[in-house]
Amino acid sequence: MTIKVGIPRALLFYEYAPLWISFFNDVGAEVIVSDKSNKRILNNGTIYTVEDACIPVKLYNGHVLYLKDKVDYLFIPRIMGVYEKEYICPKFCGLPEVVKYSIKDLPKLINTKIDLTKSSNMKDAILNMGSYITTDKKRIISAYEKALIKYNEHKSSMKNTYINEQNEQIMIMGHPYILYDEYLNMNVIKKLKSYGYSCITPDNLDDDLVNEYANSYPGKIFWLFFRKMLGSCLYLIENNFFDGVIYISSFGCGIDSVVAETIERRLRRETNIPFMLMTIDEHSGEAGFNTRLEAFIDMLEWRKINENNISTHGNNLYSRENNIRGVRY
Amino acid sequence: MKETVYLGIDVGSVSTNIVVIDRDQNVIIKEYYRTMGNPIKVLKNGLKALRDKIMDEMVIGGVGTTGSGRDLANFMVGADIVKNEITAHAVASSTYVPDVKTILEIGGQDSKIIILRNQIVSDFAMNTVCAAGTGSFLDRQAARLGIPIELFGDLALKSQTEVRIAGRCAVFAESDMIHKQQLGYSQEDIINGLCEALVRNYLNNIGKGKDILPPVVFQGGVAANKGIKKAFEKALNCEIYVPEHFNVMGALGAAILAQKEVENNKTKFYGLNIADIEFKVKGFECSYCPNACEVIGIYKDDILAARWGDKCGRWQNIEIESPLS
């Protein structure tokens, strides 16, 4: 019988899905991914997680609960970092424990430690990951090589021609597990599209470009997520064809308290691109979220109408004669 | 000939406001009702009162709705424009104070800051997951101290000594207040301390990183509170302007937007007689997927007329019958 490996559709799944799925399939396991996030998954996760955890972690536990009785193994890697001297939120380093001590009667965990902060050698980690399924080392290595190709293909498929200098576009920033989880982000990308804006995420930008910009930052890049967001932000500053930036953060995120703040300051100091920080948490009422989104779009539209109208004296944009007071819609 | 007027409705969490303006954007009627958790009833009563007031002398040429209940209100009255409250507030302020650069707005559950440059909104922020430092918090504290909220501001102005109250969180502020009270500080000083705490919290949270330049306009229900106004003036070191219609600015903005939207077209307004229609809401939890959306159906004279609250849009089609619950 094939061994069933469950992968929760949460957190770094959104970054590494093609790699993980392809790898476990090729070493001979059957991969089961949990359903897309929904209310039941979140509710269950909330019950089983410590109150202070951020909502993505609560959601992760919800996905674990979904898979718990359906699989032989749960893949919950212990990711310490994937770049030299760049670290990740401590919750990822202790993710197997976060899950283990929240939920009882779990299947066996594949909790391989992935630590590229000191050396870039993945071999031991890969062999460990595969050893739960097969003893054939060659098969494991070749599965990994194939998976890596799939992953890179997926990455480059996201790059293509999204960015357009004419189009009306908004950059959406945030951790991948917020940006690509439609339930968590209340379908923000679809909503913005319905207003006629296309959405660009940091993943749509070329990695080399992002890294190049990020490296020009004089400070130390301590957090992994900071690299991508900072690089994108600096890219935005030099390539001024974005109408706005929306940063979506989950309530209580320690990393975002630094990252979002730095991005906002940089943008405000060096550009006049509108920026908005949206905080999400457990509330399911979308009204507040939509209000902010609508107001942000109004602001962009308002600016556009007036763009060609700015008087050199900086006042009296409107004329009472035309009965246009203040705003023009 | 009957005068053409424009109606603005702001259904907020704490208050429901109705404003009628003429063609030149002068306010003819303004009404401020407490929503009391029942927006449908309050809005209906408001419209009834409005009907009695304007009788046959005016004709409503356009309607705009705003506030967190804007969609509900739109459904009931048939609005020409439905706008979020941030835009509505900015529109109203910049109409009456054309060179306004900063708008401070504190309402019942929301507080926001709107930054305008050259009459255009250039930035805004709204409180996120926390309602500390909004009107409902003051309401609650007033009730606890047994003081009518209307007197809060005047009492704050009488304060002699400075008392510092923790403003970060409403719950902590409350315990801090109680401690100070037990130490024997006068009520005026504590109230003033509370006003300053609210302002501090507002500026640190919502006003964080914003370039607050005069002229500064302060509006929303809380602008009635002179203590808060004084605290803002002290903190920002500039004069704060409270517009005449500060507590209905959202509705006013909606009315102005409605006037622009309609121009010479015919309004979609159902007429003031909707005040006689029976509106009912009935909700159910959808069982088609694990999202279990809470779907709300609104009934007009017992006939299902609209539904919302579902993520997938299945129930938007009112031909489908609601499940029996």
Side-chain angles (χ1 to χ4, degrees):
Chain A
M1 237 185 81
T2 13
I3 298 169
K4 286 183 189 149
V5 174
I7 308 181
R9 190 191 293 270
L11 295 180
L12 288 180
F13 174 85
Y14 287 100
E15 181 74 26
Y16 295 113
L19 182 89
W20 293 348
I21 295 172
S22 161
F23 174 77
F24 282 110
N25 272 331
D26 278 352
V27 289
E30 183 190 340
V31 176
I32 298 179
V33 179
S34 53
D35 264 4
K36 282 188 181 172
S37 301
N38 57 44
K39 191 155 110 187
R40 190 183 297 156
I41 288 178
L42 176 61
N43 282 352
N44 288 341
T46 310
I47 297 168
Y48 280 91
T49 317
V50 286
E51 184 47 42
D52 289 333
C54 63
I55 187 169
V57 168
K58 290 179 181 170
L59 210 47
Y60 191 86
N61 271 344
H63 284 278
V64 169
L65 282 160
Y66 175 94
L67 291 169
K68 186 168 91 86
D69 302 318
K70 298 183 176 73
V71 295
D72 305 309
Y73 283 99
L74 266 173
F75 179 56
I76 304 180
R78 182 191 309 283
I79 298 178
M80 311 296 283
V82 292
Y83 284 104
E84 205 177 323
K85 287 184 183 151
E86 280 173 26
Y87 297 88
I88 198 168
C89 169
K91 282 174 196 125
F92 291 93
C93 312
L95 197 56
E97 282 73 27
V98 170
V99 173
K100 210 157 62 184
Y101 295 115
S102 306
I103 302 165
K104 284 197 178 104
D105 304 321
L106 284 173
K108 280 173 255 170
L109 300 188
I110 303 178
N111 56 358
T112 308
K113 181 167 150 188
I114 296 169
D115 185 359
L116 303 181
T117 55
K118 291 186 183 73
S119 88
S120 57
N121 191 358
M122 268 296 279
K123 200 176 168 197
D124 291 344
I126 298 302
L127 288 175
N128 177 286
M129 256 164 80
S131 67
Y132 290 85
I133 317 295
T134 171
T135 48
D136 183 348
K137 287 189 181 175
K138 264 190 194 153
R139 187 173 182 187
I140 296 175
I141 294 296
S142 91
Y144 177 68
E145 280 163 359
K146 241 167 107 185
L148 206 56
I149 293 170
K150 281 249 171 76
Y151 172 67
N152 286 331
E153 273 170 16
H154 165 76
K155 289 295 253 186
S156 48
S157 78
M158 290 185 78
K159 309 298 175 205
N160 60 41
T161 51
Y162 279 115
I163 299 147
N164 182 330
E165 295 184 27
Q166 263 80 53
N167 230 355
E168 310 194 301
Q169 56 199 352
I170 293 174
M171 165 76 83
I172 311 212
M173 289 194 188
H175 297 197
Y177 46 85
I178 293 177
L179 291 188
Y180 305 117
D181 188 325
E182 289 162 3
Y183 181 79
L184 200 51
N185 66 34
M186 307 200 192
N187 239 328
V188 64
I189 292 179
K190 201 170 141 200
K191 278 176 189 161
L192 285 172
K193 276 187 184 151
S194 76
Y195 292 119
Y197 285 83
S198 52
C199 292
I200 306 292
T201 69
D203 296 297
N204 297 139
L205 302 179
D206 185 65
D207 277 345
D208 293 338
L209 205 64
V210 167
N211 281 329
E212 197 186 307
Y213 276 103
N215 289 337
S216 72
Y217 182 69
K220 187 173 160 9
I221 297 177
F222 188 81
W223 298 108
L224 165 70
F225 292 114
F226 189 33
R227 169 174 289 275
K228 214 187 235 177
M229 248 87 85
L230 178 75
S232 314
C233 164
L234 297 178
Y235 169 85
L236 276 184
I237 290 169
E238 271 191 29
N239 301 278
N240 206 342
F241 44 75
F242 283 83
D243 292 306
V245 177
I246 298 178
Y247 194 112
I248 307 181
S249 166
S250 62
F251 182 68
C253 177
I255 293 173
D256 276 351
S257 68
V258 180
V259 177
E261 183 73 27
T262 312
I263 302 292
E264 177 170 3
R265 283 191 194 183
R266 273 274 169 159
L267 275 176
R268 289 202 194 283
R269 201 166 60 206
E270 288 168 38
T271 70
N272 58 0
I273 304 174
F275 174 92
M276 177 166 69
L277 175 69
M278 300 257 253
T279 311
I280 49 161
D281 200 24
E282 271 166 56
H283 26 8
S284 56
E286 291 189 23
F289 192 86
N290 293 348
T291 295
R292 286 162 183 80
L293 218 53
E294 271 176 39
F296 192 74
I297 298 296
D298 276 350
M299 179 168 79
L300 302 187
E301 300 284 317
W302 197 337
R303 278 182 171 221
K304 234 182 290 164
I305 293 167
N306 284 277
E307 220 153 50
N308 308 322
N309 268 340
I310 306 270
S311 114
T312 44
H313 303 289
N315 54 28
N316 270 332
L317 265 184
Y318 59 92
S319 61
R320 275 173 201 276
E321 295 81 53
N322 300 336
N323 197 23
I324 300 165
R325 287 216 222 158
V327 248
R328 300 173 30 165
Y329 267 101
Chain B
M1 203 186 120
K2 285 185 196 172
E3 191 185 358
T4 306
V5 293
Y6 301 91
L7 180 62
I9 300 170
D10 178 354
V11 181
S13 56
V14 170
S15 72
T16 295
N17 313 322
I18 296 177
V19 164
V20 173
I21 58 167
D22 65 13
R23 276 174 182 284
D24 300 318
Q25 290 154 1
N26 298 309
V27 175
I28 305 174
I29 296 169
K30 64 167 179 179
E31 299 293 349
Y32 181 93
Y33 302 99
R34 295 229 147 202
T35 308
M36 304 282 205
N38 195 343
I40 295 182
K41 194 175 135 204
V42 171
L43 184 53
K44 264 180 63 175
N45 289 345
L47 292 174
K48 235 178 238 166
L50 186 67
R51 185 173 58 184
D52 297 340
K53 228 175 239 173
I54 70 171
M55 304 295 283
D56 297 325
E57 287 156 31
M58 302 168 206
V59 54
I60 289 172
V63 181
T65 65
T66 184
S68 45
R70 59 185 179 279
D71 290 319
L72 181 71
N74 167 38
F75 170 76
M76 286 172 65
V77 302
D80 297 297
I81 188 162
V82 184
K83 262 290 161 218
N84 63 81
E85 49 270 37
I86 296 167
T87 307
H89 275 283
V91 167
S93 259
S94 58
T95 304
Y96 293 93
V97 188
D99 51 353
V100 56
K101 287 207 173 73
T102 309
I103 302 170
L104 315 170
E105 201 270 346
I106 307 186
Q109 282 292 327
D110 282 336
S111 50
K112 32 188 148 347
I113 189 167
I114 307 170
I115 305 289
L116 292 98
R117 294 291 181 265
N118 302 318
Q119 283 93 23
I120 306 168
V121 175
S122 75
D123 194 9
F124 67 85
M126 204 164 161
N127 60 331
T128 48
V129 280
C130 168
T134 56
S136 49
F137 167 62
L138 283 182
D139 254 5
R140 199 178 127 73
Q141 296 314 323
R144 210 179 59 80
L145 295 168
I147 302 166
I149 185 75
E150 293 77 17
L151 298 179
F152 224 72
D154 288 316
L155 280 173
L157 294 185
K158 285 194 193 128
S159 155
Q160 303 284 324
T161 12
E162 220 163 274
V163 174
R164 194 181 162 96
I165 309 268
R168 167 84 57 216
C169 163
V171 179
F172 295 158
E174 190 167 323
S175 54
D176 207 16
M177 260 172 70
I178 295 170
H179 291 158
K180 295 277 151 71
Q181 181 188 307
Q182 307 302 59
L183 286 173
Y185 289 97
S186 79
Q187 209 167 41
E188 289 89 8
D189 292 342
I190 291 175
I191 291 174
N192 188 50
L194 195 62
C195 292
E196 289 187 358
L198 190 145
V199 164
R200 214 166 41 235
N201 187 36
Y202 176 95
L203 292 174
N204 286 339
N205 267 316
I206 299 149
K208 190 187 69 176
K210 303 274 180 275
D211 197 12
I212 300 176
L213 295 179
V216 179
V217 168
F218 178 27
Q219 59 196 41
V222 175
N225 189 321
K226 291 175 197 142
I228 303 272
K229 178 176 179 259
K230 198 187 104 192
F232 266 126
E233 281 173 341
K234 196 173 144 198
L236 295 174
N237 202 13
C238 70
E239 202 190 325
I240 306 283
Y241 181 73
V242 176
E244 188 190 347
H245 308 294
F246 66 90
N247 59 348
V248 294
M249 291 300 264
L252 201 47
I256 295 167
L257 285 167
Q259 184 189 3
K260 295 208 167 96
E261 178 73 20
V262 173
E263 282 185 5
N264 296 316
N265 300 327
K266 206 170 165 317
T267 176
K268 293 178 201 148
F269 184 46
Y270 300 148
L272 283 172
N273 289 335
I274 49 168
D276 299 326
I277 294 175
E278 197 63 46
F279 289 99
K280 260 191 225 148
V281 283
K282 217 160 91 188
F284 61 89
E285 204 181 65
C286 172
S287 53
Y288 276 85
C289 85
N291 274 329
C293 294
E294 296 134 27
V295 184
I296 298 290
I298 178 156
Y299 295 78
K300 208 170 173 177
D301 280 334
D302 283 329
I303 297 160
L304 177 68
R307 251 185 320 225
W308 55 74
D310 49 341
K311 275 182 190 292
C312 66
R314 166 196 303 274
W315 300 105
Q316 309 279 326
N317 178 1
I318 57 168
E319 306 279 304
I320 306 172
E321 246 176 84
S322 297
L324 298 167
S325 50

